[in-house]
Amino acid sequence: MKIPAILHLMRLGYVYIPLSQQFRREESNIFEDIFIASLQKINPTATQEEILRLLDEITLELDYEDLGKKFHQRLTSTSGIKLIDFNDFGNNNFHVTTELSCKNGEEEFRPDITVLINGMPLAFIEVKKPHNKEGIINERNRINARFKNKYFRRFANITQLMVFSNNMEYEDGIVEPIFGAFYATSAYANLHFNYFREDEDYPVTQKLLPISDQEESAILKDNNLQVIKHSPEFQTNKAVHTPTHRILTSLFSRDRLAFILRYAFAYVDELKDDGSISRQKHIMRYPQIFATMAIAAKLEEGKQKGIIWHTQGSGKTALAYYNVKYLTDFFQKRKVIPKFYFIVDRLDLLIQASTEFSNRGLNVKQVNSREDFIKDMQVVASIHNDSGEAEITVVNIQKFSQDATALMIPNYDIQTQRVYFLDEAHRSYNPKGNYLANLINSDKNAVIIALTGTPLLKEVAKEYDSKLLFGNYIHKYYYNRSIADGYTLRLIREEIEGKFKMEMQEVMEQIKVLKGEIKASDVYADHRFANGLLDYICQDLIAFREHWQDESLGGMVVCDSSKQAKMLFELFQDRYGIQETEADKLSIAADLPRASYGKRRKTQLTAALILHDENDKLTRKGLIKAFKAGKIDLLFVYNMLLTGFDAKRLKKLYLARVIQDHNLLQTLTRVNRPYKHYQYGYVVDFADISKAFDRTNQLYFQELQEQLGDEMDMYSHLFKSEQEIREELNQIQATLFHYDTSNKELFSQQIAQVTEKKELMQLIKALRTAKELKNIIAVNGYEGLGELVDFEVLNRLLIEAQNRYDNLNFVENIGQEEATQNLLNTALEDIVFQFIKVGEEELKLADEYKDALRKTREALQQNFDQGDPEFVNLREELERIFRKKNLSETKQSDMQENMRLLRKIYDQAKELNRKNALLKAKYEQDEKYTRIHKRLSEKSELSAKEMQLHRALMQVKQAVDDKLEGQEDILKNEAFFTKYLMQQVVQEFRKKENIPLDFETTQKINHLILREYLQQYQAR
């Protein structure tokens, strides 16, 4: 496998260094002569002495305990003596060698292949045979052991890129990467292997060079492997599109390697509880690479906005970081100064994003007030710091005030380009709200890149969707692919049934009578119901941890209401004692090992209550940190932590309420982060989310079916037309006609006389519509419409009307709350609630279902013998699934069944293709004779062994192909060609192979061969 990979790198332009010419500095493996010559070429003013001094400095720096950060800074620096020419990447020198020893004292290892740029060993490749024992896991364990060894620090520090391959296709859905070709970057422990899958929209454009027979022989001789030159295995392994060679093309072609070395690495420094710094080196995932290319392509086309749809857990904040680096250079080449903003809609996300950017080395500027934002907008420089570090401003969308919108950005001599990354673009960016309008109007020329894992769809949002707000999709990366790549886990839904025992039949009658008075949420928050719920949750979490023998596994309860969450937590404390809530106590506890956080039995649990009105922000932050650190077992939540909360140990989600549409997917994926060896995240479903999940799947399936919104170019306006807005404004004025809208006090007195809630609601609706129209006018830039009514006055009147409505509700409910509670207590007095697990199923998401359809369809399309009865049966079975119902209305239960059928069809089609491929190889890849062989094998009247049949057909093939060479016109005379074929069939079948043939059978064979040749001839 090694020699074919070296030959492929030579096709990519790398020069082979023979074993006898590995002249380098052993302490760093830098080839000194190549290094000096290369750097003198790209730094014409640098002397040899300066370059040698630089080489000495690098050699010393490679022994730092910094994971190679100092060396990487030198490698990518554009000032001083450049190590790599990134402006003209082809101006560098590219080499490859094998068995280059990495040696320090008695310690040594030899990568199979080492790749050198300007004499520096920046990458290595380990290639193994397919089906090697334990696949790639052995290689990962081996490299972890090597790089953990301090004797190999310098080699870990200089290595930027590694590839590990056993030349097999990926086995999707396996948590541990075992089969395939993977890439990684350096780590002192726990190296992470990444999949790489090409994106057809951004292919490698570099042409492969031919390799001469002499070059091939020289490499084989250098490695004492001349004996394999003519072996069929070697010839097969030289193919361009083997799994190993595909990843080598993807990563080591010139443009890709230039991009990776310059932009694809991040050093992430995280502060540990003990005050020390934990450093990791990350490399871009392939969807992040292609998303960055896609952003650049859209900007080149003049597009200013769009959506990155990357599933949860795919690293969207990291993507923004990488693009700060990439887009800074992109715009500077155009003499434009970029300023980067990361927009969030919650304070906790602002803190989280700021920390992530800061950990990666960006200088982070937080906007804490509207005044700060206005000042920021007036600064032309791309950075505010004195260090020269790349910078990003993290800002809550609520800071986009009207003041910021109204300010005049002055003209500067140097052009500034603002780039807004909108985090979680499926939330809070309502076009009817003023924040989005202010964001858009703060800089009409800004680039807006919306990041989302679950875009809003029009059917959900009724009047708008993400594409209408932010443009078409720039790049897409779906949940099913993320599962296949090991970035997220599959989900298992555990169905729970609630049962209760009644001692008095009339209790049920009472509940029926009181149905209009008692809210379901009050029943769910009652201590009797909550006790049964808590019983199940606690017992289930304890059993779950015992089953996996893992005390680190955590759970989250998504409650039906804030009231229920408080009741569950109160009952929990009755069982397990008062839980820590004070931030100072908790911060001390969070720093202690788990064993000292209360000596507890396996059945002892800890919990925290996370609600917006419980505890202060600092305490909540401490509780969340403690949960992530494994010091708290269970979180009780209502609306908080359902999105943007990542804790890998969270593997059980207890759903006590139904959540709709994109919020449902966001919530479910709290448990989908990879953790240890687990293959699933578990959702315990008390609320029966099946209908909501089916609806969400249908919506996203429809979105996927519609080419993901690329048809949206036909829309000329974002929302309503000017005429529609004028008509709505007239209707609003008509509704307000009887009220004094010029004086807030008089208006307040007038609505105080209104006692009909219906009339008041009509008034509130009109005023709310006015508020929405104001922002839609601002978003679309409609001139003149804003002057038709005084929107500021109407907004103040809306507050008054809403207050009056709230007062009516309050008066109406006085005295009723206590009576209702008494009725509830009576109704529930003799009821005991129990919860029982009744089923378990894997949650199938729309993109996974669509992917199964695609794979099945493609497997069938790849079959070159569509007359095969087995193929016909498979195709008809697939058609039956399609005909059964509208696929976009498929329910979860149908999807489960269809997935099973699709998998069966896919497996059978794949097996059929495999058998066809084997037979085709017997006929020198000639599909014609493969089909003929199969048709004749199906005919029971032909008494011949397959080997006889093969020999006879191959002889006919050889004779006919020789006849056609230079005489293709023979096919124009069908009668003559038919007669010629008959002679060959008789000669090879009857005379040479002694296969008994009657006249009818001979004619059938003749007809099959004739038809294949004529079809090929006529299809030219």
Side-chain angles (χ1 to χ4, degrees), residues 499-504 830-834:
K499 293 187 175 181
F500 49 87
K501 299 174 183 176
M502 292 183 300
E503 296 181 8
M504 293 168 35
D830 296 309
I831 299 178
V832 179
F833 291 94
Q834 293 180 331

Side-chain angles (χ1 to χ4, degrees), residues 744-761:
K744 188 178 77 169
E745 287 302 318
L746 285 176
F747 178 80
S748 181
Q749 292 171 17
Q750 289 170 342
I751 63 173
Q753 307 302 314
V754 179
T755 56
E756 287 290 329
K757 286 167 59 176
K758 184 177 179 181
E759 182 182 343
L760 202 54
M761 264 321 294

Side-chain angles (χ1 to χ4, degrees), residues 379 471 517:
V379 175
E517 303 290 340

Side-chain angles (χ1 to χ4, degrees), residues 707-849:
Q707 300 298 311
L708 297 142
D710 294 337
E711 81 289 349
M712 295 307 295
D713 288 336
M714 67 182 69
Y715 286 78
S716 56
H717 297 291
L718 285 179
F719 303 103
K720 298 171 182 173
S721 67
E722 293 188 43
Q723 184 58 38
E724 288 174 314
I725 291 174
R726 286 182 186 277
E727 290 172 1
E728 288 202 36
L729 289 174
N730 288 335
Q731 291 171 4
I732 291 166
Q733 289 171 330
T735 304
L736 296 172
F737 176 73
H738 294 287
Y739 298 92
D740 190 325
T741 57
S742 61
N743 186 314
K744 188 178 77 169
E745 287 302 318
L746 285 176
F747 178 80
S748 181
Q749 292 171 17
Q750 289 170 342
I751 63 173
Q753 307 302 314
V754 179
T755 56
E756 287 290 329
K757 286 167 59 176
K758 184 177 179 181
E759 182 182 343
L760 202 54
M761 264 321 294
Q762 288 177 341
L763 187 59
I764 290 171
K765 185 177 179 182
L767 291 167
R768 281 180 181 164
T769 302
K771 183 178 180 181
E772 294 167 359
L773 290 177
K774 167 183 174 282
N775 295 304
I776 291 173
I777 290 167
V779 168
N780 288 276
Y782 292 140
E783 294 183 6
L785 291 181
E787 289 75 43
L788 293 180
V789 294
D790 191 333
F791 288 107
E792 293 303 318
V793 171
L794 296 186
N795 197 40
R796 290 195 294 271
L797 300 185
L798 172 61
I799 295 170
E800 292 296 316
Q802 186 65 60
N803 288 341
R804 172 59 181 161
Y805 187 80
D806 293 341
N807 288 339
L808 284 178
N809 279 334
F810 177 73
V811 171
E812 200 174 89
N813 291 328
I814 286 177
Q816 291 188 16
E817 187 175 332
E818 185 177 344
T820 301
Q821 189 61 46
N822 290 336
L823 291 172
L824 176 65
N825 289 336
T826 302
L828 299 180
E829 188 173 357
D830 296 309
I831 299 178
V832 179
F833 291 94
Q834 293 180 331
F835 295 88
I836 302 165
K837 181 175 173 180
V838 295
E840 185 171 285
E841 63 180 351
E842 184 177 342
L843 287 171
K844 301 292 183 184
L845 296 168
D847 48 1
E848 184 178 357
Y849 186 37

